[in-house]
């Protein structure tokens, strides 16, 4: 399901990766675009000024068969990505 745990160190980790600059743009993405909304709100509450959420996430919303990767999302929209 959609059970997931909040990482209590998330904001600190983003701050560290970004060099501590609250003006630096931060783009966030998740599978469906829902968790990243909450993550973005947490960053904004912590003082980040330029938070970009990737709408519909990587795999997109579920279709009528409850499958992702068919309607929308980064992958379906044909944007570049690679497996690592």
């Amino acid at each position: 399901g959609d059970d997931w745990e909040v990482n209590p160190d998330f904001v600190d980790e983003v701050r560290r990766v970004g060099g501590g600059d609250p003006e630096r743009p931060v783009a966030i993405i998740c599978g469906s675009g829902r968790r990243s909304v909450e993550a973005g709100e947490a960053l904004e509450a912590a003082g980040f000024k330029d938070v970009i959420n990737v709408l519909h996430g990587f795999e997109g919303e579920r279709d009528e068969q409850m499958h992702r990767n068919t309607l929308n999302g980064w992958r379906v929209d044909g944007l570049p990505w690679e497996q690592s």
Side-chain angles (χ1 to χ4, degrees), residues 29-40:
I29 187 170
C30 67
S32 69
R34 281 201 308 276
R35 288 166 298 184
S36 57
V37 168
E38 292 187 33

Side-chain angles (χ1 to χ4, degrees), residues 3 5 8 27 32-33 38 54-55 65 74 82 84:
D3 294 339
E5 289 183 30
S32 69
E38 292 187 33
V54 178
L55 194 64
Q65 286 76 44
W74 186 280
E82 63 183 52
S84 61

Side-chain angles (χ1 to χ4, degrees), residues 6-34:
V6 173
N7 174 359
D9 300 320
F10 173 70
V11 171
D12 288 336
E13 289 174 9
V14 173
R15 195 176 279 131
R16 188 170 62 249
V17 169
D21 181 3
E23 304 285 333
R24 185 172 179 174
V26 178
I28 45 182
I29 187 170
C30 67
S32 69
R34 281 201 308 276

